[in-house]
Amino acid sequence: MTATNALVPAGSNALTLGFSGSLGNLDAYISAVNRLPMLTHEEEVALGKNLKEKNDLKAAEVLVTSHLRLVVSIARGYLGYGLPHGDLIQEGNIGLMKAVKRFDPDQGVRLVSYAMHWIKAEIHEYILKNWRLVKVATTKAQRKLFFNLRSHKQGLDAMSPKQIDELAKALDVKREEVIEMETRLSGRDIALEAPSDEEDDKFSPIAYLSSDNMEPTKVLEAEQVVRLQSEGLETALSKLDARSRRIVEARWLANDDGSGATLHTLAEEFGVSAERIRQIEAAALKKMKGALAAYM
């Protein structure tokens, strides 16, 4: 089986579905799916009921294959993200099959309208998992920005302040997020390894990206931990009264192995109940957490 044959849903008979010969390349696949017959509304409803009521897999197969051209059309709109068209189509086909599985013909909605959501959702997930901007698009609003920014940009020029403000307002994101996303979208990929074996090539990106410890976010995280353990912790402790500080230090900072003083030991020291020590400790930790927020 060729890579393009993998685009055809598993279990389908290529000949009975209108495919003739070997689908040796993507163009042949696209040409073949565009020749597949489209279903009438009545045929779609009948097939949908057979699938829903009788678990008729042949009906599911026909519903899927008759909408493969829809996947090709939708996938073409995501070519600007630098991922292979064939891979986008394959992911879209997965979304189409999920839509067919959940399709309810009794709702009166055509499968094409229902399937578009599932196809796009699957392609979106694929892009976000595989593209180099995945860490940027983490919230729903940022994902919307990620997939709408290209259509709002006019050519290769940077967006004007007015365009940035308008887009930020329309998508309900901060203007700083629009600027950051545009900057990353405008960036060019570089080769990790240099093309030759010369001595200078030892300084190609692969040389300093080989260790996770040198990854920028790891370095920043390590620096932040050190800062929290020194300056941040001392500042937070200074916000406590003498008794609260003594309890926190005895409970959490006395030994490196975490085996601090017990509530009952401290209760005897201060002449109060263990429950009162627990309350003081909880209040102190809450206060420290607020002080440490400035260092996060």
Side-chain angles (χ1 to χ4, degrees), residues 128-182:
L128 290 172
K129 285 188 293 185
N130 289 275
W131 214 51
R132 59 194 175 93
L133 297 189
V134 61
K135 290 186 178 179
V136 178
T138 54
T139 67
K140 184 177 180 180
Q142 287 175 333
R143 289 186 177 210
K144 189 174 182 181
L145 171 61
F146 180 90
F147 288 106
N148 282 275
L149 185 57
R150 285 183 181 274
S151 60
H152 284 78
K153 282 177 64 68
Q154 298 178 357
L156 299 177
D157 296 333
M159 298 178 69
S160 66
K162 181 179 179 181
Q163 291 174 319
I164 292 174
D165 290 335
E166 291 176 349
L167 182 58
K169 182 178 180 181
L171 300 181
D172 192 27
V173 296
K174 299 178 181 178
R175 72 185 311 274
E176 290 77 11
E177 291 178 317
V178 177
I179 295 172
E180 180 183 8
M181 186 74 77
E182 184 192 20

Side-chain angles (χ1 to χ4, degrees), residues 16-17 20 31 35 79 88 93 130 181-182 227 230 244 283:
T16 60
L17 294 173
S20 58
S31 177
R35 291 197 303 270
L79 291 177
L88 294 172
N93 285 346
N130 289 275
M181 186 74 77
E182 184 192 20
R227 191 176 175 214
S230 55
S244 297

Side-chain angles (χ1 to χ4, degrees), residues 100-120:
V100 168
K101 182 179 180 180
R102 295 165 174 78
F103 178 57
D104 184 355
D106 296 327
Q107 292 183 346
V109 178
R110 291 299 300 266
L111 178 56
V112 64
S113 301
Y114 182 70
M116 286 180 67
H117 164 76
W118 287 94
I119 295 169
K120 289 182 178 180

Side-chain angles (χ1 to χ4, degrees), residues 4-275:
T4 311
N5 283 118
L7 295 171
V8 182
S12 64
N13 186 323
L15 294 178
T16 60
L17 294 173
F19 297 107
S20 58
S22 174
L23 302 181
N25 57 63
L26 184 60
D27 290 337
Y29 171 82
I30 294 175
S31 177
V33 299
N34 285 333
R35 291 197 303 270
L36 292 173
M38 299 180 67
L39 300 175
T40 64
H41 189 199
E42 292 73 19
E43 291 173 330
E44 188 177 286
V45 170
L47 289 166
K49 288 184 176 180
N50 282 343
L51 173 60
K52 180 181 178 182
E53 298 170 3
K54 304 176 183 178
N55 195 30
D56 185 351
L57 298 183
K58 181 62 179 178
E61 182 180 291
V62 176
L63 287 170
V64 168
T65 53
S66 64
H67 288 80
L68 290 176
R69 70 180 68 198
L70 173 65
V71 177
V72 171
S73 177
I74 292 175
R76 188 177 294 118
Y78 294 92
L79 291 177
Y81 294 98
L83 295 171
H85 193 190
D87 290 352
L88 294 172
I89 291 174
Q90 189 160 347
E91 294 300 317
N93 285 346
I94 294 173
L96 172 60
M97 287 185 279
K98 289 182 178 180
V100 168
K101 182 179 180 180
R102 295 165 174 78
F103 178 57
D104 184 355
D106 296 327
Q107 292 183 346
V109 178
R110 291 299 300 266
L111 178 56
V112 64
S113 301
Y114 182 70
M116 286 180 67
H117 164 76
W118 287 94
I119 295 169
K120 289 182 178 180
E122 206 69 28
I123 292 177
H124 283 190
E125 286 302 313
Y126 172 72
I127 293 174
L128 290 172
K129 285 188 293 185
N130 289 275
W131 214 51
R132 59 194 175 93
L133 297 189
V134 61
K135 290 186 178 179
V136 178
T138 54
T139 67
K140 184 177 180 180
Q142 287 175 333
R143 289 186 177 210
K144 189 174 182 181
L145 171 61
F146 180 90
F147 288 106
N148 282 275
L149 185 57
R150 285 183 181 274
S151 60
H152 284 78
K153 282 177 64 68
Q154 298 178 357
L156 299 177
D157 296 333
M159 298 178 69
S160 66
K162 181 179 179 181
Q163 291 174 319
I164 292 174
D165 290 335
E166 291 176 349
L167 182 58
K169 182 178 180 181
L171 300 181
D172 192 27
V173 296
K174 299 178 181 178
R175 72 185 311 274
E176 290 77 11
E177 291 178 317
V178 177
I179 295 172
E180 180 183 8
M181 186 74 77
E182 184 192 20
T183 301
R184 292 175 179 261
L185 280 170
S186 300
R188 296 181 298 132
D189 292 328
I190 59 175
L192 289 178
E193 295 180 332
S196 66
D197 296 326
E198 295 180 4
E199 186 69 18
D200 290 344
D201 296 338
K202 292 183 179 179
F203 298 97
S204 59
I206 195 66
Y208 56 81
L209 290 179
S210 57
S211 172
D212 289 340
N213 293 331
M214 296 303 295
E215 203 273 326
T217 56
K218 296 288 186 182
V219 174
L220 290 175
E221 288 174 1
E223 292 177 352
Q224 187 178 52
V225 169
V226 172
R227 191 176 175 214
L228 277 172
Q229 290 177 338
S230 55
E231 179 185 346
L233 182 59
E234 183 57 38
T235 300
L237 287 171
S238 68
K239 303 293 184 181
L240 305 178
D241 59 74
R243 182 174 63 172
S244 297
R245 178 164 182 161
R246 163 63 184 151
I247 292 173
V248 170
E249 289 179 337
R251 291 275 291 157
W252 299 101
L253 304 176
N255 301 309
D256 293 335
D257 60 2
S259 57
T262 65
L263 294 175
H264 291 286
T265 299
L266 292 170
E268 292 179 3
E269 178 181 335
F270 289 101
V272 296
S273 66
E275 173 59 21

